[in-house]
Amino acid sequence: MLSAKVTELLNQQINKEFYSAYLYLDFSNYYYDQGLDGFGNWYKIQAQEERDHAMLFIQYLQNNGAKIILDSIDKPDVPLENAKDVLTEGLKHEQFVTSLIHDIYDAAYSEKDFRTMQFLDWFVKEQGEEETNADNLVKKYELFGGDPKSLYMLDNELGGRVYSAPSLVL
């Protein structure tokens, strides 16, 4: 049985994951509006991943007999000034999500909730990958974003990203 504290944090994480999906859809729309369809595609797929993360938290709570509490999802409030700033905000957001996962893990550890810790292990690893990907995007943009031909090639590279559902078994 999950503790009230761990259940509350997991429910909050559902909302944060759906917010992340909204945020990345906003980023995607920004890039499509700028004619950078590859960047738009990259963030649209990122939004799909975040939605799936929320669904994994929901399934975990359901599998453990916990009540799901869906809250309203805030409108994204990140100013979208230029292409590089959007990428930087994406990296900051992934670092924030990592801190949230660590908070849940810490609560589960305090409760000796080994099942939840094991469930969260996948998310800890996933967040490491998410931060690396976001950081790499910032670095690539810094290297190539100022040159139109290089930006075009980077945009084409990002346009090749395809969606792949998470492989976490609950």
Side-chain angles (χ1 to χ4, degrees):
M1 186 107 195
L2 300 175
S3 73
K5 177 67 175 171
V6 169
T7 301
E8 176 185 357
L9 290 171
L10 290 168
N11 269 302
Q12 289 173 5
Q13 191 63 30
I14 292 167
N15 182 270
K16 299 298 186 190
E17 297 291 342
F18 280 130
Y19 172 80
S20 296
Y22 269 35
L23 179 65
Y24 291 151
L25 281 175
D26 201 33
F27 289 5
S28 176
N29 291 333
Y30 171 84
Y31 284 118
Y32 279 116
D33 289 346
Q34 301 300 312
L36 294 169
D37 293 0
F39 283 83
N41 173 68
W42 198 92
Y43 273 108
K44 188 184 332 177
I45 289 171
Q46 198 65 23
Q48 290 174 303
E49 285 189 6
E50 303 303 337
R51 180 206 61 216
D52 283 351
H53 293 169
M55 297 305 291
L56 288 169
F57 281 101
I58 288 171
Q59 188 64 56
Y60 181 76
L61 287 170
Q62 289 171 338
N63 288 352
N64 286 279
K67 181 161 179 57
I68 310 298
I69 300 170
L70 299 177
D71 203 353
S72 60
I73 301 168
D74 293 334
K75 178 181 176 182
D77 61 355
V78 175
L80 306 179
E81 305 279 329
N82 62 58
K84 183 185 175 204
D85 286 349
V86 175
L87 298 175
T88 302
E89 290 298 327
L91 174 58
K92 283 194 234 176
H93 185 72
E94 287 301 337
Q95 292 166 337
F96 171 68
V97 172
T98 297
S99 74
L100 297 173
I101 298 296
H102 289 176
D103 290 345
I104 303 168
Y105 203 100
D106 186 52
Y109 180 79
S110 296
E111 300 281 340
K112 296 188 180 190
D113 181 350
F114 302 113
R115 184 182 317 150
T116 298
M117 290 166 55
Q118 183 179 30
F119 167 71
L120 292 172
D121 283 342
W122 183 87
F123 287 96
V124 170
K125 180 178 179 282
E126 174 72 5
Q127 281 308 121
E129 292 171 8
E130 297 285 11
E131 285 187 34
T132 297
N133 290 338
D135 187 51
N136 286 342
L137 275 178
V138 171
K139 288 176 182 172
K140 285 180 179 182
Y141 191 86
E142 287 172 345
L143 285 171
F144 306 119
D147 175 55
K149 291 177 185 173
S150 297
L151 181 60
Y152 177 79
M153 291 176 65
L154 179 57
D155 189 57
N156 280 335
E157 176 188 322
L158 297 177
R161 184 180 186 197
V162 295
Y163 176 69
S164 174
S167 59
L168 175 65
V169 177
L170 299 176

